[in-house]
Amino acid sequence: MQMKSCMEVVTISILGYYLLPHPPIVLPEVGKGEENKIKRTKAAFNRIGQEIAEKAPRVIILITPHGTMFQDVISLSYEDTIQGDMARFRAPSVSMEIPIHKPLTRRIYDISRQDGIATVLSTNSFLRRYNASVFLDHGAIVPLYFINQYYKDYKLVHITYAPFGDMDLYKFGIAIRRAVDEQNETAVLIASGDLSHRLKEDGPYDYSPLGEKFDKEFLHYLKQGDAAAVFRMDRETIREAGECGRNSTIILLGALEGCKFHCELLSYEGTVCVGYGIMRLQVVSQGPSQLHLLEEIRKG
């Protein structure tokens, strides 16, 4: 199946690409004043919410590390609606229920399976055997909280990545873009993920000097629009960073396959021990395919 050029697809279907963190503390109902420690993050979230409202996508596709995760399969939530709240963060009043775009979810699943990428349509009946259910996790709720302040007329595709290798995640991103194009939808794609959790010696996670190194390098490569450099990052640095945003971002980069893109870092803060980066990725022009180069990096 022929995939359209990046400029054709972005103009018609995928209206925006974003890397967004998910700190519960940024919600006033959770932070209770502590959100003032990450004011720039909160301001950037509001800016993104307003921007997405202006784009008015019919679908928001969100990739999270905090749904029901499998080691060997990417999970796509597949009920009519998905709901969740912030009760575990002592803010049960923050709750939402959002309709799932089942046709697009199904098409992403079908294309992924055809391309040899292990995915599953996660229903409540399927998840019951694992004592789990379809739910809206905080990796989704925090970004959607700010979008919902300005815009609610959308359906959701809720994806929980699996800890696959970079190439499979990248190809899954390609499948997402193909599905959106085929469905003739307008969508925004969000990679939800925090950066290093090991930035401070007095934090709740073990400190590592490689945490700050990871954040600086990762954001630098993204700002350069250099997917290959993200793939080449030192594996020890990635492990030691204790992050949960790189896999989501690899999928996002896959959806930008064949595109030259520019990244704007709207906010970065590491004042509460975890790195929170908010970034907008914008297509500049059509570019060469990265698939061969990335395959060589993986083999190397």
Side-chain angles (χ1 to χ4, degrees):
M1 187 178 297
Q2 186 68 33
M3 185 168 68
K4 291 185 179 181
S5 75
C6 65
M7 293 306 294
E8 289 177 304
V9 173
V10 170
T11 300
I12 296 171
S13 54
I14 300 185
L15 306 177
Y17 301 79
Y18 302 94
L19 168 61
L20 301 177
H22 45 252
I25 192 177
V26 77
L27 308 186
E29 295 88 344
V30 176
K32 300 186 185 304
E34 293 294 297
E35 68 274 14
N36 292 324
K37 294 180 178 178
I38 47 173
K39 287 182 179 179
R40 292 195 299 274
T41 299
K42 183 178 179 181
F45 262 126
N46 279 297
R47 181 176 173 184
I48 294 300
Q50 292 169 341
E51 183 174 303
I52 290 176
E54 292 172 2
K55 294 179 183 296
R58 292 193 293 265
V59 189
I60 291 177
I61 305 168
L62 192 144
I63 306 151
T64 175
H66 294 304
T68 300
M69 181 183 289
F70 296 96
Q71 294 295 309
D72 56 354
V73 67
I74 296 171
S75 174
L76 293 88
S77 298
Y78 199 65
E79 291 288 343
D80 291 336
T81 64
I82 186 168
Q83 57 188 332
D85 59 46
M86 297 294 281
R88 63 175 290 209
F89 299 99
R90 294 180 291 184
S93 63
V94 178
S95 64
M96 55 186 72
E97 182 174 3
I98 301 172
I100 288 177
H101 196 301
K102 294 182 77 174
L104 180 56
T105 300
R106 179 77 197 207
R107 191 61 190 136
I108 294 170
Y109 166 82
D110 287 341
I111 293 174
S112 300
R113 301 287 288 191
Q114 291 166 12
D115 292 344
I117 303 164
T119 56
V120 66
L121 294 173
S122 289
T123 61
N124 285 324
S125 60
F126 169 75
L127 292 176
R128 197 169 294 124
R129 70 188 72 174
Y130 303 100
N131 295 316
S133 63
V134 172
F135 72 102
L136 208 55
D137 60 288
H138 77 274
I141 290 175
V142 172
L144 294 175
Y145 175 97
F146 290 94
I147 295 168
N148 289 351
Q149 305 300 309
Y150 306 97
Y151 181 68
K152 294 184 177 180
D153 191 19
Y154 65 88
K155 292 185 177 182
L156 186 67
V157 173
H158 179 268
I159 300 167
T160 304
Y161 68 66
F164 287 169
D166 289 350
M167 206 65 234
D168 282 340
L169 295 172
Y170 189 85
K171 289 179 178 178
F172 180 69
I174 294 174
I176 290 174
R177 193 175 107 195
R178 284 177 55 191
V180 174
D181 180 36
E182 287 184 15
Q183 293 284 315
N184 195 30
E185 280 293 357
T186 55
V188 160
L189 181 56
I190 294 172
S192 176
D194 297 335
L195 302 183
S196 176
H197 289 62
R198 297 177 174 174
L199 298 179
K200 305 283 186 181
E201 292 186 359
D202 59 350
Y205 307 96
D206 291 339
Y207 167 75
S208 172
L210 294 180
E212 183 178 356
K213 179 177 184 287
F214 171 87
D215 285 9
K216 287 182 176 179
E217 291 184 1
F218 183 68
L219 295 174
H220 172 74
Y221 296 145
L222 288 176
K223 284 190 284 186
Q224 297 298 312
D226 193 344
V230 175
F231 268 58
R232 289 191 184 102
M233 289 184 71
D234 176 67
R235 293 292 149 177
E236 182 183 1
T237 300
I238 295 170
R239 285 193 301 271
E240 285 294 309
E243 50 76 38
C244 65
R246 187 176 176 275
N247 283 352
S248 296
T249 305
I250 293 292
I251 295 171
L252 190 74
L253 292 174
L256 286 159
E257 159 64 19
C259 302
K260 290 183 179 180
F261 58 91
H262 166 76
C263 296
E264 182 180 1
L265 184 62
L266 302 180
S267 173
Y268 174 79
E269 292 182 293
T271 53
V272 291
C273 307
V274 179
Y276 301 128
I278 292 185
M279 182 171 276
R280 177 198 297 117
L281 294 81
Q282 294 178 300
V283 171
V284 176
S285 65
Q286 185 173 352
S289 171
Q290 297 287 299
L291 281 172
H292 179 70
L293 173 60
L294 299 179
E295 287 278 14
E296 290 301 312
I297 293 171
R298 183 184 69 166
K299 292 175 183 176

